[in-house]
Amino acid sequence: MQLLERLFHLRERGTTLRTECLAGLTSFMSMCYVLFVIPAMLADAGMPAAETGTALVWVTVGATLVMGLWAGFPVAVAPGLGISAFFAYYVCGPAGYTWETGLGAVFISGVIFLLLTVTRLRQMIIDAVPMDLKYAIVVGIGTFIAFIGMKNCGLVAASPSTFVTLGDLGQPAALLAVAGVFLISALMALRVTGAMVIGIVAVTAAGM
């Protein structure tokens, strides 16, 4: 406990080991879907799913450890869902590039972003973006992820006239998703600690 206090200054930051463990578990449960979704996306681009999944795990673990142990910032880092979809369904789709060429472009952009970060130009660019636009980006990404979740559980479906329509709410997956949303919302309204974890575990158990 003393080692953790020296490393992370828990008391100074007004938190406890129990709170941080719950927060870490909640973060993991909330983002572990990327272990299945992103490899499936990249497989559509022609990449081998098993190797992609392994690389995803190691990159996420490494980046998260660097954020926690070196930067001292309690944030889990993983490949982004939006940029992965752009890579799989545009760069390796309509744009006509192979996934090998696409990864080359990703490497070059990574080097450019590293240089921008080291020279502090990245922070200057971020500071120049209006706060309203920053909020809008977060909302847009969250909406995109929520939409993918609703599609996967059957709450929304494709429509030839409106492109998107209400799915079959009688299906077990859709009913579980709706029940999960209501359960987590109720627990959060009641200020129950670990509301998201409890909701995710309960819906997973019910689904099994």
Side-chain angles (χ1 to χ4, degrees):
M1 184 63 186
Q2 291 180 349
L3 175 63
L4 293 175
E5 182 61 39
R6 279 203 310 273
L7 279 174
F8 302 113
H9 310 288
L10 300 177
R11 287 198 193 92
E12 181 184 324
R13 294 176 176 175
T15 185
T16 64
L17 180 61
R18 179 177 178 274
T19 299
E20 294 306 307
C21 287
L22 268 176
L25 181 60
T26 302
S27 297
F28 175 78
M29 297 292 288
S30 301
M31 66 183 287
C32 65
Y33 69 91
V34 301
L35 298 175
F36 309 98
V37 175
I38 290 182
M41 282 182 174
L42 298 181
D44 291 338
M47 297 179 68
E51 289 81 353
T52 302
T54 302
L56 172 68
V57 170
W58 282 111
V59 166
T60 302
V61 170
T64 302
L65 285 175
V66 168
M67 288 296 288
L69 299 177
W70 185 40
F73 201 54
V75 171
V77 182
L81 190 61
I83 198 67
S84 299
F86 175 77
F87 178 89
Y89 301 122
Y90 178 75
V91 174
C92 299
Y97 295 102
T98 63
W99 64 268
E100 292 90 347
T101 303
L103 287 183
V106 170
F107 174 77
I108 293 171
S109 68
V111 172
I112 293 172
F113 274 110
L114 178 62
L115 293 175
L116 289 174
T117 302
V118 170
T119 57
R120 306 222 175 240
L121 285 173
R122 177 175 173 271
Q123 190 61 44
M124 292 171 63
I125 294 171
I126 292 173
D127 292 339
V129 176
M131 187 57 69
D132 289 344
L133 184 56
K134 292 178 182 176
Y135 288 145
I137 291 170
V138 173
V139 172
I141 293 173
T143 304
F144 178 63
I145 294 173
F147 182 81
I148 290 175
M150 288 189 289
K151 173 184 174 294
N152 289 341
C153 72
L155 282 176
V156 298
S159 169
S161 55
T162 60
F163 295 104
V164 177
T165 188
L166 188 64
D168 184 0
L169 298 184
Q171 293 298 315
L175 292 173
L176 281 171
V178 172
V181 170
F182 277 106
L183 175 59
I184 292 173
S185 300
L187 292 174
M188 291 181 71
L190 294 172
R191 300 186 182 279
V192 176
T193 304
M196 290 188 68
V197 174
I198 294 172
I200 291 170
V201 171
V203 172
T204 301
M208 293 172 64

